[in-house]
Amino acid sequence: MKKRIIIISGVFIGLLVSLVVLNWYLAVIMEKNIDQTLRKYIATKVSNARISYSGVSVRPIFSKFYISNLSVADERNLVQLRLDEVELELPYSDFLKILREETLRDVFNLQTRITRLTYVATKANSKITVDDISVAFNGHVNTEGILGYGQNTL
C-alpha cells in the first residue's frame, strides 16, 4: 500500500514537472514569435505614429499573453496613449495556431484586460487615467481587415 502511494506520488510529481517545463518551453517560442511579428508590423506598417513596448510574455497554460508598457504617440507627440499592461486571453485553439503557424487570421473569442491606461493630450493640457478596463469579444474578426495588410497577419 505504501509503495503504491509512493509510485502514484512520483508519477503525479513527474507530470507536474513536465507540465511546468512544457509551459516554459512553449512560452519562450511564442514570446519570440509574437515579439518579432509585432516589431515587424510596427517597423513596416506604422508610419504616422510611434509605438513602443518593453516586452511580451506568454502563459500557455492559461492561454494568455501580455504586452508590457505599451505606448502609442502621434508623430508630433501631441497625443499619447500609455498602457502599463495589456492582457489578451485567447481560446487554446487560437494559441496553438500562433504556435504552429506563427499567424492568426481569424479571431472568434477574445478577453482583454488593460491595466492603467493613460491618455495625454499635450496641446489641450489634459490627462485621463483609467485603472482597469476589461473587454470580452465573441464573434468573428478577420485580422487582415483590422490590420490592413494582406497575408501578413498576427
Side-chain angles (χ1 to χ4, degrees):
M1 181 71 172
K2 193 173 187 179
K3 197 175 197 179
R4 180 181 277 187
I5 291 173
I6 292 172
I7 292 171
I8 291 172
S9 297
V11 168
F12 179 73
I13 291 171
L15 288 173
L16 190 60
V17 168
S18 297
L19 185 63
V20 169
V21 169
L22 179 64
N23 182 62
W24 171 81
Y25 177 72
L26 292 176
V28 168
I29 292 170
M30 292 179 78
E31 286 169 4
K32 180 181 170 191
N33 291 348
I34 291 169
D35 187 51
Q36 286 176 344
T37 301
L38 286 174
R39 291 192 189 283
K40 180 179 176 185
Y41 178 78
I42 291 168
T44 60
K45 303 297 180 185
V46 179
S47 60
N48 56 352
R50 290 188 337 248
I51 300 174
S52 64
Y53 59 94
S54 64
V56 174
S57 62
V58 179
R59 305 290 179 268
I61 287 178
F62 301 110
S63 187
K64 294 180 181 181
F65 72 89
Y66 304 85
I67 301 172
S68 302
N69 300 314
L70 178 63
S71 176
V72 181
D74 67 347
E75 293 172 318
R76 296 180 296 169
N77 211 29
L78 297 176
V79 177
Q80 297 175 351
L81 184 65
R82 293 188 301 263
L83 304 108
D84 284 1
E85 183 176 74
V86 178
E87 173 188 308
L88 298 166
E89 181 177 351
L90 294 166
Y92 282 106
S93 59
D94 289 342
F95 241 69
L96 292 175
K97 283 180 189 174
I98 293 172
L99 182 63
R100 282 193 317 263
E101 304 170 14
E102 299 180 18
T103 184
L104 182 60
R105 293 182 197 281
D106 298 296
V107 177
F108 295 96
N109 185 332
L110 176 68
Q111 306 283 331
T112 305
R113 188 177 64 79
I114 298 170
T115 305
R116 189 89 174 147
L117 177 141
T118 304
Y119 173 83
V120 179
T122 53
K123 214 171 199 182
N125 198 24
S126 60
K127 178 179 179 180
I128 299 170
T129 302
V130 179
D131 284 332
D132 287 306
I133 298 174
S134 295
V135 177
F137 171 77
N138 289 305
H140 178 238
V141 173
N142 183 291
T143 57
E144 291 175 7
I146 292 175
L147 301 175
Y149 66 109
Q151 307 226 343
N152 300 327
T153 55
L154 283 179

